[in-house]
Amino acid sequence: MGWTDLKISRVGLGTWQFSETWGLVNYDAARNVIAKAIEVGINFFDTAMVYGKGLSEEFLGKALKELNVPRDDVVIATKIPGEFLNPDDVFRAVDKSLKRLGVSSIDLLQLHWPPCWHNYPTASYARALERLVAIGKIGFIGVSNYPVALIEELRSYFSFTDIVSMQYRFNLLERWAEVELIPYAEANDLTFIPWSPLAKGALTGKYTPENPPQFTDLRSGEAVFYLENFKKTSDLINALKKLADKYSKTPAQITLNWLLKYSPTMVPIPGAKTPDQVLENAGAVGWELSYEDWRLIDELSKSIKITYVTW
Ligand SMILES: NC(=O)c1ccc[n+]([C@@H]2O[C@H](COP(=O)([O-])OP(=O)(O)OC[C@H]3O[C@@H](n4cnc5c(N)ncnc54)[C@H](OP(=O)(O)O)[C@@H]3O)[C@@H](O)[C@H]2O)c1
C-alpha cells in the first residue's frame, strides 16, 4: 500500500453493500461475502463510518472474528466523514469505529470527503489525526474525494506522517480522476483506490438499455443508469462481452482488469452482494488484457459522455 511495507491484495472488497442504502442488511449474507473474500485471498477491506451508520463496520469486524482471521492477515480501511472532522470529534468518531470493528487499531483511516459544510480548519484536524497515528490507533491516513490543492494543504500540516492512499470515483464510464488525481497518486507513490469500479453494476453487462433495471436502492438516482446515459454505453458493453468470450472471462473481470493495467497504483474495491460476485471479481487478477484490447476499451470508454443533469 502506497510507500508503506503493507501488502494488500490487487483487488479489495468494498463493503458499502452492508447497509440499507444497498440493501444487504442480513449478517449471515454479509459474513458469506467476507468469508469468500478471505478464501480467495482478498486481504483489503474498505468500509466507512457512514455505511449503514456503522452496520458495515460491525458486520466486517464480527465476521473477521468469527472466521478466526488473524488480525495481521487483513488490512482494514475505514473512513471518517467530513462532518466528523471537528478535532474533538475525530477522537470520538475513531473510538466508536474501533469499537464497532472490534479492533485496537485501524490500518487505514481515510478522510471520506472534505468538511465542506462545516469548514473545520485543515490544520486542526490534521493534528488530531496525527496524534492518533502517534498513539497507534491509526496505522496510516488516506484521503477520499479531496481535490489536489486540499491534499497539498493537509500534507503540509503533518509533522511526521503522510497520506498513503487516494480514493475516488473512477470507472470506464466516469474518468474525471485521471486528469489530476491519478497522476498525483502516481507521482507521490500513493495507492489509488477507484470506487464504483463497476459503475455500480452497469459495467457487468447484466443490465441493458433495452431492458433497463428498475432499482429500489440508491441506483434509482444514479446518473449512469439514467436512460439517456445508459443508452450511450451499449457499444462499450458489447465490446466487454466480446472480449469476455475471447479471454474466457466475464465483462466485470474485463472491466477490472482494464483498471489494473491502467496503473500499478490502482487497487479497485468492487462491492459484492454474493460470494459468487466476490469470486468473479477476484478473477480479474492473474492475467492481462493485450495492449490492443486495452486500447480498444479505452477508446470506446472515452467516447462516452455522461451527463449528470438528469432532472
Ligand atoms: N469513498 C467514497 O466516497 C465511496 C463512494 C462509493 C463507494 N465506495 C466504496 O467502493 C465500493 C465499490 O463501489 P460501489 O459499491 O459504489 O460500486 P461497484 O463496486 O461499481 O458496484 C457494486 C455492485 O455491482 C454489482 N456487482 C458486483 N460484482 C458483480 C459481479 N461480479 N457480477 C455482477 N454484478 C456485480 C452488485 O450489485 P447488484 O448485484 O445489485 O447489481 C454490487 O452491489 C463500495 O462498496 C465502497 O466500499 C466509496
Side-chain angles (χ1 to χ4, degrees):
M1 187 168 65
W3 44 264
T4 77
D5 292 334
L6 268 191
K7 296 283 180 211
I8 52 174
S9 45
R10 200 69 180 82
V11 164
L13 178 73
T15 66
W16 185 15
Q17 276 56 32
F18 311 155
S19 62
E20 294 282 350
T21 320
W22 273 96
L24 201 166
V25 291
N26 176 285
Y27 169 69
D28 290 334
R31 185 185 191 270
N32 290 341
V33 167
I34 294 163
K36 182 54 83 177
I38 295 290
E39 185 191 318
V40 298
I42 290 174
N43 78 339
F44 184 52
F45 293 87
D46 181 77
T47 181
M49 296 176 188
V50 298
Y51 294 167
K53 286 198 172 160
L55 190 76
S56 169
E57 288 185 325
E58 265 175 40
F59 280 7
L60 180 62
K62 186 173 169 191
L64 291 173
K65 274 228 166 74
E66 281 183 13
L67 294 163
N68 294 317
V69 179
R71 180 65 187 90
D72 289 347
D73 286 6
V74 286
V75 175
I76 298 176
T78 191
K79 310 186 199 77
I80 181 166
E83 290 74 7
F84 292 177
L85 285 173
N86 158 351
D88 298 330
D89 277 347
V90 167
F91 292 93
R92 181 177 156 83
V94 167
D95 285 349
K96 288 189 168 213
S97 187
L98 288 165
K99 211 169 262 165
R100 285 191 293 264
L101 286 162
V103 296
S104 59
S105 173
I106 291 163
D107 301 308
L108 175 65
L109 183 73
Q110 304 160 100
L111 310 190
H112 207 154
W113 57 77
C116 33
W117 315 119
H118 298 73
N119 312 305
Y120 307 130
T122 311
S124 59
Y125 67 77
R127 188 71 185 152
L129 290 164
E130 203 168 41
R131 278 321 88 203
L132 285 164
V133 175
I135 294 163
K137 289 288 154 194
I138 302 174
F140 297 100
I141 298 166
V143 292
S144 178
N145 309 316
Y146 266 59
V148 164
L150 193 52
I151 297 176
E152 291 271 274
E153 189 193 343
L154 175 72
R155 293 177 72 196
S156 75
Y157 291 124
F158 290 140
S159 53
F160 69 87
T161 191
D162 199 354
I163 62 164
V164 302
S165 64
M166 295 169 62
Q167 184 177 146
Y168 298 81
R169 182 193 293 260
F170 187 64
N171 60 58
L172 282 166
L173 301 178
E174 302 172 291
R175 298 178 55 163
W176 306 108
E178 70 191 333
V179 180
E180 285 183 290
L181 299 161
I182 297 173
Y184 188 86
E186 289 172 338
N188 290 277
D189 200 7
L190 307 172
T191 290
F192 185 87
I193 306 169
W195 59 255
S196 294
L198 299 169
K200 295 193 162 65
L203 293 166
T204 63
K206 66 180 174 183
Y207 303 119
T208 61
E210 296 71 43
N211 185 17
Q214 302 293 325
F215 290 122
T216 51
D217 58 26
L218 80 164
R219 289 176 290 188
S220 59
E222 188 64 29
V224 293
F225 288 109
Y226 176 57
L227 201 55
E228 183 189 335
N229 284 329
F230 200 40
K231 278 183 181 160
K232 299 176 193 165
T233 66
S234 294
D235 287 351
L236 173 66
I237 289 170
N238 287 336
L240 293 172
K241 286 180 176 166
K242 270 200 187 128
L243 288 176
D245 286 344
K246 175 173 168 184
Y247 286 83
S248 300
K249 303 288 174 195
T250 66
Q253 290 171 332
I254 303 284
T255 300
L256 294 172
N257 194 272
W258 184 89
L259 289 174
L260 298 176
K261 198 175 175 89
Y262 185 102
S263 171
T265 64
M266 194 83 70
V267 178
I269 45 165
K273 288 203 188 133
T274 64
D276 282 350
Q277 290 182 350
V278 178
L279 183 66
E280 185 176 330
N281 297 341
V285 179
W287 59 280
E288 226 181 303
L289 282 167
S290 72
Y291 172 68
E292 292 71 27
D293 290 335
W294 185 91
R295 283 277 298 135
L296 174 84
I297 299 174
D298 192 47
E299 285 300 317
L300 281 172
S301 136
K302 276 183 184 150
S303 68
I304 298 169
K305 309 285 176 219
I306 295 288
T307 175
Y308 292 87
V309 183
T310 56
W311 45 269

